[in-house]
RNA sequence: GGGCGAGUGGCGGAAUUGGUAUACGCGACGGACUUAAAAUCCGUUGGUCUUAACAACCUUGAGGGUUCAAGUCCCUCCUUGCCCACCA
């Protein structure tokens, strides 16, 4: 018998598949189309490890499954070839970036091919090929003509190591996303794409996408839409400062104003006396690295400018400060500070002793309409010796009752609230020797139902704090309804805040002992005519009032900024713009595209803020397309993400040299049905590509607004030691090595899929590889044995229903699992089936006539995962055409129906036995059989059966 | 601080959506084959008590709840992963 030797089988089939072009997509086929795409890789100097390969294995299995299911499948591959890593690699190794990319893509292509992935290589794309970037430049000009590309001088993130600017999305926690070094701010004239014009659409259209909630949430957070208002404050010296706020309802509580240190009005606002202090602060702020400034747990700092602003609603004169907790880039770079209702402002006010005015009081519970109104107290009793707080534990919280609360009670008519609190504490806890420490100056509004009095109440609850003088206790004096309903517990302060089960109680507790800042909604106080209004309502009314005097208006703000796309580096698509002294920035005419990257000797970035192209005079010096006068080319290149913002469209029409693509072909194939890749591009590529797609839609180049209908984020593969795989840690595992060891690509593929759910992180298992190989070896051996046995003797001609049933069941299971991408359980089911086939074989030694069908069908079910071995065995069984062009098997329900079934018997929900009954037996009979069962009857003896539950085809449960 | 997720044997993980928890694989142990080993094949393998078997009881991060029935639903807490983070 031939042994399973992947080294012999795999390269042979890869060549045959390649020569016969069986994986090429057909533009003209009438079959339904599917477009399966994995992120196109960055051909860096490294090789791909098993983590990278996971995502291609997933995509390939889906593509093969669809192909066998009758779809015309587009499954292409290309190279995201422009960008820093290729260039850095080239500089380090003293080769041209062109040469580096060609070497690297060659190696990557070979790695992908030896895994047996079914790509349509006739559509291969290289984004650094002039035939490709010509169209990237064409799209730049489209954006330029639509006013969506503009140039502006501004402070930008600058990476001192990579010597280029970076987009906001490409700075992660103050570090460059590529090299990991700290970035700086630098003022440069740069090109931007106006992605913010599309913010609303990018946000709203997320709802309909079949993407993971995590990625959608990341994009939502990144876009960061917040609805609020811009409010104008008059400053004494006649300037006006605008602030952005999402809480105009708290305007009456604005007790000071804070500007970012970089705010343009700081200079003119600052008084002479404060001048030196302010200047020193600004200097210090600038000296801080951006990483430092982004530390959130830093203590607040700031200085007073010496000026005052006038609050437009109540004409209060409020001091203007500057502080670096206000960001110059967001909103207007200035805020109205409401310390009573914003944590950051609260912290700042506490530190600098600024006034705090409460303007919102919380409301808990739901209004029922028939409330009795009353005043109430919430008394917090503290034992100063232990610093513990007294709580009443009313048992488990259920709906509106129970939970842990402080002492509470209604204020009697004409009763002083301190006396009331003392009375309630004595009645409920017996403590009488107390010192009154504080009373809140605001109240919590509460709607609640009193169990004792059986009435709905609305109470204004005052918070009071008492310290125990000693632990003398008298007898409690409880109402009938209160007796034995609660117990007294003592907890520490932190626990008290966490445990308290009523929002009003918690608010009053915080007002007395915690951070007195309340940022929720509620009822307005200290707000003139708005007192008593709900804050959500007051929000709109106050803005409307301000709008009348043009001192305020509704504004929507976004965290997302425009996309900075200039790079001061060589290896990118040149920005197709000519700067003319007369006409400014002029588009390079279409017929002069591509603006080719000149070949130069030194790619080293200069670090002076200009790209190496600036040194190439024959590139720079040109004529203005409009006037023919001398002009200079733009020397910055485009961010590599520009190239990847449309590559998925080019695959539909790769070789078009008249336009980026034909609309007909793109509409035929796109949007992408399954887009597969990691989550790392959530707010970069995936956002940019959506933006470009919308721009193209608006320009009627395509008929759809979203490029990727379904997005699948595969989980990461960690090294066996549980760490991320990395070259520097020396813990990477590469498929090539495993193939060389003799496991073969098929085993690697099985392992990639079987290791766990495709979208979860998993650690690679060296031992697991053996399991994957053994599985394939078992189907190999079984098939070879079958072939030998068959040639030695004729089959009995008898059919074996057990074999049929097992295989039909597997067809159903694997088909369902592939539709839901449960690769690991699909493979588990196949392993199980194979184990069963081994048992059948032991019984009949391949005598049944069903064996040929069983093995062939099994191979088909395995083909998407392990394409080589299944093809080899399929053709060994006598087929002349590829298994991958065969029709996916369909199960026959007839074989899934069993004549008997197992019914589980429970007594009081505990498993006590099981019986086997005919499938069509009526319920009554099943129940009586169950009752008579030996094991079960002993549990039923001398007991009354109160209830019998029968779940059809599953179980009987007797309740006794 | 905010958002999204995850906790099941020695390990990776199953569980038809509330109905036999631990499928499948790894590892371990035992057996067959072999001069021997590897490979292969066949078994056993959640825990406690027990010499062993039978049986019983326990078990899905912890605690409560709903239900005839909870890994699955509800509440509280703990641990942990990822993303964002002074965004007004």
């Amino acid at each position: 018998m031939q042994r399973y030797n992947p080294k012999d089988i795999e390269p042979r089939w890869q060549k045959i598949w390649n020569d016969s072009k069986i994986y090429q997509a057909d533009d003209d086929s009438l079959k339904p189309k599917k477009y399966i795409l994995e992120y196109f890789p960055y051909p860096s100097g490294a090789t791909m490890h098993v983590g990278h390969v996971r995502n291609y294995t997933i995509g390939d299995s889906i593509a093969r499954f669809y192909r066998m299911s009758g779809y015309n499948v587009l499954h292409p591959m290309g190279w995201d070839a422009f960008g820093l890593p290729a260039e850095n690699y080239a500089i380090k190794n003293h080769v041209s970036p062109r040469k580096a990319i060609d070497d690297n893509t060659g190696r990557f292509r070979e790695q992908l091919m030896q895994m047996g992935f079914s790509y349509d290589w006739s559509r291969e794309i290289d984004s650094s090929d002039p035939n490709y970037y010509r169209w990237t430049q064409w799209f730049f000009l489209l954006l330029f003509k639509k006013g969506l590309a503009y140039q502006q001088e501004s402070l930008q993130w600058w990476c001192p190591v990579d010597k280029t600017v970076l987009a906001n999305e490409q700075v992660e926690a103050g570090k460059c996303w590529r090299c990991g070094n700290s970035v700086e701010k630098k003022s440069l004239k740069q090109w931007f794409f106006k992605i913010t014009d599309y913010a609303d659409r990018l946000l709203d259209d997320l709802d309909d996408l079949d993407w993971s909630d995590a990625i959608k949430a990341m994009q939502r957070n990144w876009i960061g839409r917040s609805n609020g208002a811009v409010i104008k404050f008059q400053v004494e010296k006649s300037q006006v400062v605008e602030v952005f706020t999402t809480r105009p309802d708290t305007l009456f509580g604005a007790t000071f104003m804070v500007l970012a240190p970089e705010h343009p009005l700081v200079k003119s606002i600052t008084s002479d006396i404060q001048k030196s202090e302010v200047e020193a602060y600004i200097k210090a702020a600038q000296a801080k690295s951006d990483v430092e400034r982004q530390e959130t747990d830093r203590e607040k700092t700031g200085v007073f400018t010496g000026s005052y602003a006038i609050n437009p609603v109540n004409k209060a004169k409020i001091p203007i400060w500057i502080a670096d907790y206000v960001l110059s880039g967001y909103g207007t770079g200035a805020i109205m500070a409401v310390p009573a209702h914003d944590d950051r402002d609260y912290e700042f006010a506490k530190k600098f002793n600024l006034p705090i005015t409460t303007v919102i009081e919380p409301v808990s519970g739901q209004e029922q309409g028939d409330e009795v109104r009353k005043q109430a107290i919430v008394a917090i009793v503290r034992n100063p010796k232990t610093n513990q707080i007294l709580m009443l534990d009313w048992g488990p919280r259920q709906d509106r009752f129970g939970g842990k609360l402080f002492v509470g009670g209604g204020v009697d008519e004409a009763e002083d609230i301190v006396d009331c609190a003392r009375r309630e504490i004595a009645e409920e806890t017996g403590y009488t020797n107390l010192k009154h420490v504080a009373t809140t100056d605001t109240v919590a509004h509460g709607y609640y139902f009193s169990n004792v009095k059986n009435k709905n109440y609305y109470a204004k609850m005052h918070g009071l704090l008492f310290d125990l003088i000693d632990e003398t206790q008298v007898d409690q004096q409880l109402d009938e309804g209160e007796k034995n309903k609660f117990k007294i517990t003592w907890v520490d302060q932190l626990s008290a805040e966490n445990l308290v089960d009523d929002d009003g109680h918690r608010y009053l507790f915080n007002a007395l002992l915690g951070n007195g800042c309340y940022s929720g909604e509620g009822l307005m106080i200290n707000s003139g005519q708005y007192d008593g209004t709900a804050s959500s309502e007051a929000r709109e009314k106050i803005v409307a009032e301000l709008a009348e005097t043009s001192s305020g208006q509704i504004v929507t703000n976004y965290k997302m900024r425009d996309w900075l796309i200039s790079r001061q580096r060589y290896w990118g698509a040149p920005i197709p713009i000519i700067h003319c002294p007369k006409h400014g920035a002029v588009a390079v005419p279409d017929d002069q595209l591509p603006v080719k990257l000149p070949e130069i000797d030194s790619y080293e970035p200069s670090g002076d803020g200009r790209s190496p192209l600036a040194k190439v005079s024959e590139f720079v010096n040109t004529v203005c397309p409009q006037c023919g006068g001398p002009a200079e080319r733009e020397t910055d290149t485009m961010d590599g993400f520009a190239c990847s913002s449309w590559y998925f469209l080019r695959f539909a029409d790769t070789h078009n040299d008249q336009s980026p693509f034909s609309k007909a072909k793109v509409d035929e194939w796109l949007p992408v049905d399954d887009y597969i890749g990691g989550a790392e591009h959530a707010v970069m590529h995936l956002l940019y590509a959506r933006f470009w797609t919308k721009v193209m839609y608006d320009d009627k180049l395509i008929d759809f607004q979203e490029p990727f209908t379904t997005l699948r984020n595969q989980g990461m593969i960690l090294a066996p030691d549980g760490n991320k795989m990395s070259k520097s840690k020396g813990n990477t595992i590469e498929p090539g090595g495993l193939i060389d060891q003799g496991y073969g690509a098929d085993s690697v593929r099985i392992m990639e899929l079987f290791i766990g759910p495709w979208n979860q992180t998993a650690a690679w298992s060296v031992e697991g590889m053996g399991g994957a190989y053994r599985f394939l070896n078992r189907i190999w051996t079984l098939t070879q044995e079958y072939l030998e046995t068959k040639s030695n003797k004729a089959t009995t001609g008898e059919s074996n229903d057990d074999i049929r049933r097992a295989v039909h069941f597997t067809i159903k299971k694997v088909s369902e699992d592939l539709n839901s991408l449960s690769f690991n359980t699909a493979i588990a089911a196949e392993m199980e089936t194979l184990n069963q086939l081994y048992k059948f074989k032991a019984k009949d030694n391949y005598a049944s006539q069903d064996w040929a069908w069983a093995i062939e069908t099994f191979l088909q079910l395995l083909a998407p995962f392990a394409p080589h071995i299944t093809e080899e065995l399929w053709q060994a069984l006598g087929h002349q055409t590829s298994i991958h062009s065969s029709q996916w098997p369909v199960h026959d329900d007839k074989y899934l129906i069993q004549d008997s079934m197992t019914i589980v018997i429970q007594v009081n929900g505990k498993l006590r036995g099981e019986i086997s009954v005919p499938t069509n037996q009526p319920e009554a009979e099943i129940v009586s059989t169950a009752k008579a069962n030996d094991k079960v009857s002993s549990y039923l003896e001398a007991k009354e059966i109160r209830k019998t539950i029968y779940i059809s085809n599953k179980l009987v449960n007797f309740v006794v």
Side-chain angles (χ1 to χ4, degrees):
Chain A
M1 185 171 76
Q2 248 187 314
R3 294 196 58 169
Y4 173 42
N5 182 7
K7 276 188 193 169
D8 161 51
I9 297 170
E10 293 178 350
R12 185 152 43 80
W13 285 113
Q14 284 157 15
K15 183 163 189 310
I16 293 172
W17 294 332
N18 200 37
D19 293 347
S20 59
K21 303 179 165 59
I22 64 166
Y23 303 127
Q24 287 197 5
D26 181 358
D27 288 336
D28 305 318
S29 163
L30 293 175
K31 285 198 246 174
K33 291 186 165 64
K34 283 276 184 191
Y35 186 179
I36 314 299
L37 182 65
E38 297 109 49
Y39 290 5
F40 71 159
Y42 210 102
S44 66
T47 45
M48 283 189 277
H49 58 63
V50 290
H52 300 118
V53 166
R54 187 187 205 181
N55 128 58
Y56 308 118
T57 307
I58 292 164
D60 193 56
S61 299
I62 297 172
R64 288 179 180 278
F65 172 58
Y66 280 136
R67 222 177 268 119
M68 289 175 77
S69 301
Y71 288 94
N72 178 20
V73 173
L74 173 56
H75 186 220
M77 182 44 68
W79 315 109
D80 188 8
F82 268 144
L84 287 181
E87 189 177 334
N88 288 341
Y89 173 87
I91 291 168
K92 198 175 144 204
N93 294 287
H94 305 290
V95 292
S96 74
R98 177 75 267 154
K99 169 94 168 51
I101 283 295
D102 289 345
D103 290 352
N104 293 349
T105 54
R107 203 176 49 252
F108 271 54
R109 194 185 300 107
E110 202 175 301
Q111 278 197 293
L112 293 174
M113 280 180 164
Q114 70 171 350
M115 285 299 294
F117 296 134
S118 61
Y119 294 119
D120 177 352
W121 286 106
S122 72
R123 297 176 189 245
E124 186 177 350
I125 282 173
D126 174 346
S127 68
S128 65
D129 181 339
N131 292 322
Y132 181 87
Y133 71 69
R134 162 183 183 178
W135 301 113
T136 308
Q137 291 173 337
W138 187 88
F139 281 116
F140 177 96
L141 293 175
L142 175 73
L143 287 151
F144 181 64
K145 286 164 195 161
K146 291 173 82 76
L148 292 168
Y150 66 93
Q151 217 178 358
Q152 193 176 56
E153 167 107 28
S154 65
L155 269 183
Q156 288 308 331
W157 295 115
W158 168 266
C159 175
V161 175
D162 285 332
K163 299 194 172 78
T164 181
V165 293
L166 295 167
N168 243 26
E169 290 81 358
Q170 294 160 15
V171 177
E172 292 163 353
K175 314 257 179 181
C176 170
W177 74 296
R178 271 301 175 197
C179 67
N181 288 288
S182 291
V183 295
E184 305 165 350
K185 284 261 164 158
K186 193 159 181 167
S187 189
L188 289 165
K189 198 172 186 188
Q190 298 290 325
W191 283 95
F192 292 86
F193 286 150
K194 224 172 176 178
I195 192 171
T196 50
D197 272 13
Y198 284 73
D200 281 322
R201 285 165 69 187
L202 288 169
L203 193 62
D204 296 340
D205 292 351
L206 278 174
D207 295 344
D208 300 326
L209 292 178
D210 178 16
W211 290 20
S212 74
D213 288 340
I215 301 281
K216 286 195 197 184
M218 277 187 229
Q219 291 212 349
R220 284 196 188 100
N221 289 342
W222 187 262
I223 296 167
R225 176 162 68 194
S226 55
N227 298 315
V230 164
I231 298 171
K232 291 179 185 169
F233 281 68
Q234 191 73 37
V235 184
E236 283 180 318
K237 292 182 200 161
S238 88
Q239 294 106 324
V240 168
V241 176
E242 295 189 339
V243 302
F244 175 74
T245 177
T246 54
R247 294 295 300 271
D249 48 313
T250 62
L251 183 51
F252 284 86
T255 51
F256 57 102
M257 177 186 271
V258 187
L259 306 188
E262 299 85 359
H263 195 283
L265 291 180
V266 168
K267 236 181 197 166
S268 55
I269 282 173
T270 304
S271 72
D272 293 342
I273 303 167
Q274 294 299 107
K275 198 171 173 189
S276 60
E277 216 180 317
V278 168
E279 279 173 359
Y281 184 80
I282 293 172
K283 219 174 207 173
Q286 280 168 348
K288 269 181 212 154
S289 77
D290 285 291
V291 180
E292 274 178 292
R293 269 188 73 168
Q294 284 175 358
E295 291 288 329
T296 50
D297 42 7
R298 245 168 70 229
E299 210 181 316
K300 294 271 176 295
T301 59
V303 288
F304 177 45
T305 60
S307 288
Y308 293 85
I310 306 299
N311 187 329
V313 279
N314 58 8
K315 310 300 171 208
K317 195 172 139 185
I318 61 173
I320 305 175
W321 287 62
I322 63 169
D324 64 7
Y325 81 92
V326 174
L327 307 174
S328 64
Y330 184 76
T332 60
I335 60 156
M336 63 180 211
V338 185
H341 304 290
D342 179 281
D343 286 318
R344 295 151 301 182
D345 299 344
Y346 179 83
E347 205 187 313
F348 194 83
K350 278 282 171 193
K351 171 141 186 213
F352 294 103
N353 253 326
L354 293 158
I356 299 172
T357 307
T358 300
V359 292
I360 293 173
E361 291 173 334
V363 183
S364 59
Q366 280 289 313
E367 189 171 359
Q368 306 294 322
D370 59 349
E371 277 83 4
V372 178
R373 300 174 70 87
K374 66 173 189 181
Q375 300 281 320
I377 59 94
V378 170
I380 292 156
V381 179
R382 178 171 63 183
N383 184 342
K385 283 182 198 149
T386 60
N387 215 15
Q388 284 183 314
I389 308 293
L390 183 150
M391 295 192 87
L392 307 182
D393 184 350
W394 295 83
R397 178 77 171 179
Q398 284 170 16
D399 192 19
R400 301 162 71 197
F401 315 112
K404 292 190 179 63
L405 299 172
F406 303 110
V407 172
V411 180
D412 291 341
E413 210 158 314
E415 188 183 26
D416 175 77
I417 59 168
V418 178
D419 294 342
C420 167
R422 287 183 184 279
R423 176 176 57 75
E424 290 287 350
I425 294 167
E427 284 176 9
E428 294 185 2
T429 72
Y431 290 109
T432 50
N433 213 353
L434 301 151
K435 183 178 147 221
H436 174 227
V437 182
T439 304
T440 55
D441 48 15
T442 58
V443 301
H445 304 263
Y447 294 95
Y448 66 96
F449 176 76
S450 162
N451 228 354
V452 181
K453 308 243 168 72
N454 195 26
K455 267 186 208 158
N456 282 317
Y457 284 97
Y458 160 72
K460 285 188 179 177
M461 298 183 284
H462 303 263
L464 296 98
L465 176 64
F466 291 89
D467 275 349
L468 281 186
I469 295 169
D470 60 46
E471 286 158 33
T472 329
Q473 259 175 304
V474 297
D475 288 339
Q476 289 159 277
Q477 295 163 30
L478 301 176
D479 291 342
E480 273 309 310
E482 292 176 334
K483 277 182 184 157
N484 301 319
K485 286 291 163 61
F486 65 84
K487 56 178 194 279
I488 295 168
T489 58
W490 289 91
V491 300
D492 63 73
Q493 267 201 39
L494 194 69
S495 310
E497 190 190 337
N498 287 330
L499 290 173
V500 67
D501 276 313
D502 179 273
D503 291 339
H505 280 232
R506 179 177 292 113
Y507 170 80
L508 295 169
F509 175 84
N510 277 334
L512 289 163
L513 283 170
N515 168 343
C517 178
Y518 171 71
S519 53
E521 302 282 346
L523 290 177
M524 310 289 296
I525 56 163
N526 297 325
S527 296
Q529 53 172 306
Y530 301 101
D531 283 0
T533 316
S535 52
S536 54
E537 218 174 294
R539 190 135 62 218
E540 291 169 26
K541 287 184 174 166
I542 288 175
V543 180
E545 184 194 319
L546 293 170
E548 281 171 26
T549 54
S550 306
S551 47
Q553 60 171 336
I554 301 229
V555 165
T556 302
N557 246 318
Y558 303 90
K559 284 193 221 174
M560 183 172 67
R561 311 294 150 78
D562 278 339
W563 173 14
L564 168 55
I565 61 120
S566 329
R567 294 291 178 274
Q568 290 71 48
R569 295 291 297 242
Y570 169 75
W571 192 238
I575 291 174
I577 290 288
I578 292 168
H579 296 283
C580 169
K582 283 186 204 148
H583 296 97
V586 178
V588 172
D590 276 0
D591 58 14
Q592 290 174 30
L593 295 181
V595 175
K596 278 200 188 173
L597 262 185
E599 283 181 28
I600 59 175
D601 295 331
S602 168
Y603 317 99
E604 299 274 355
S606 57
D608 62 358
R610 300 201 73 190
S611 119
L613 292 177
K615 289 179 281 191
V616 186
S617 58
E618 54 272 38
F619 176 80
V620 174
N621 297 316
T622 185
V623 292
C624 171
Q626 281 185 23
C627 61
E632 291 190 352
R633 280 192 197 281
E634 170 68 49
T635 56
D636 282 354
T637 54
M638 270 187 261
D639 182 4
F641 282 108
C643 308
S644 57
S645 290
W646 73 283
Y647 80 102
F648 44 92
L649 296 158
R650 183 69 174 175
F651 280 131
D653 192 11
T654 315
H655 303 291
N656 195 326
D657 56 3
Q658 300 302 307
S659 60
F661 47 75
S662 96
K663 181 167 185 298
K665 286 191 179 176
V666 160
D667 286 343
E668 192 73 12
W669 285 110
L670 280 101
V672 177
D673 294 290
D674 283 291
Y675 196 32
I676 304 145
E680 68 274 11
H681 285 303
V683 294
M684 293 197 265
H685 164 60
L686 291 170
L687 195 59
Y688 301 145
R690 294 182 61 221
F691 164 52
W692 275 41
T693 302
K694 287 177 191 305
V695 173
M696 291 182 209
Y697 171 84
D698 290 349
D699 210 58
K700 302 203 168 31
L701 293 170
I702 52 176
D703 275 346
F704 49 90
Q705 295 211 48
E706 286 290 340
F708 316 121
T709 312
T710 301
L711 177 70
R712 320 274 196 183
N713 300 116
Q714 92 279 6
M716 217 192 318
I717 297 274
L718 304 174
D721 60 11
N723 292 309
K724 280 189 186 180
M725 281 193 196
S726 76
K727 223 176 177 179
S728 57
K729 285 203 195 91
N731 59 2
T732 54
I733 295 178
E734 287 174 19
L738 296 167
I739 290 168
D740 289 346
Q741 280 172 55
Y743 287 116
D746 283 339
S747 295
V748 176
R749 295 171 57 119
I750 292 285
M751 184 62 194
E752 297 271 3
L753 298 170
F754 186 66
I755 197 164
W758 64 279
N759 54 359
Q760 268 174 41
T761 302
W764 190 260
S765 159
V766 177
E767 295 81 17
M769 261 320 292
Y773 179 84
R774 270 193 287 280
F775 167 54
L776 295 179
N777 193 32
R778 274 162 74 79
I779 182 61
W780 175 269
T781 308
L782 187 88
T783 310
Q784 296 296 340
E785 271 182 22
Y786 163 75
L787 285 167
E788 284 176 14
T789 313
K790 195 182 71 169
S791 63
N792 292 340
K793 64 166 194 191
T795 66
T796 59
E798 275 169 32
S799 187
N800 182 340
D801 271 2
D802 288 339
I803 295 181
R804 295 222 154 233
R805 192 173 298 123
V807 175
H808 277 289
F809 180 83
T810 314
I811 298 173
K812 182 162 188 268
K813 171 77 177 154
V814 172
S815 306
E816 282 169 1
D817 281 354
L818 272 173
N819 277 311
S820 62
L821 304 190
S822 306
F823 305 108
N824 56 331
T825 55
I827 291 168
E830 291 175 359
M831 288 172 168
E832 235 170 310
T833 308
L834 189 55
N835 292 343
Q836 283 185 57
L837 290 178
Y838 263 71
K839 296 223 163 70
F840 294 141
K841 165 207 107 167
K843 276 188 202 154
D844 81 347
N845 194 29
Y846 306 104
S848 153
Q849 64 165 13
D850 295 315
W851 277 103
W853 167 83
I855 292 175
E856 283 182 7
T857 306
F858 185 86
L859 291 172
Q860 284 182 297
L861 297 178
L862 184 59
F865 314 131
H868 308 90
I869 187 177
T870 49
E871 182 80 300
E872 176 78 14
L873 294 174
W874 175 260
Q875 305 221 2
L877 286 166
H879 290 273
Q880 305 295 316
T881 53
S882 172
I883 190 172
H884 304 297
S885 314
S886 72
Q887 193 63 37
W888 188 255
V890 179
H891 76 271
D892 186 342
D893 276 329
K894 186 170 80 185
Y895 290 99
L896 302 183
I897 300 163
Q898 311 218 358
D899 21 314
S900 71
M901 58 187 182
T902 305
I903 298 287
V904 167
I905 311 160
Q906 298 181 334
V907 178
N908 283 349
K910 286 203 166 165
L911 179 70
R912 293 305 181 192
E914 55 181 58
I915 49 171
S916 181
V917 298
T919 315
N920 48 8
Q921 198 164 43
E923 178 180 339
E925 259 177 71
I926 293 174
V927 170
S928 62
T929 316
K931 237 182 262 182
N933 182 281
D934 283 354
K935 282 185 183 168
V936 176
S937 56
S938 65
Y939 288 94
L940 297 175
E941 256 166 42
K943 301 222 171 85
E944 180 200 353
I945 298 176
R946 288 222 310 255
K947 204 169 168 188
T948 302
I949 290 137
Y950 173 67
I951 306 293
S952 102
N953 305 339
K954 285 218 173 85
L955 62 78
V956 180
N957 186 12
F958 297 107
V959 185
V960 299

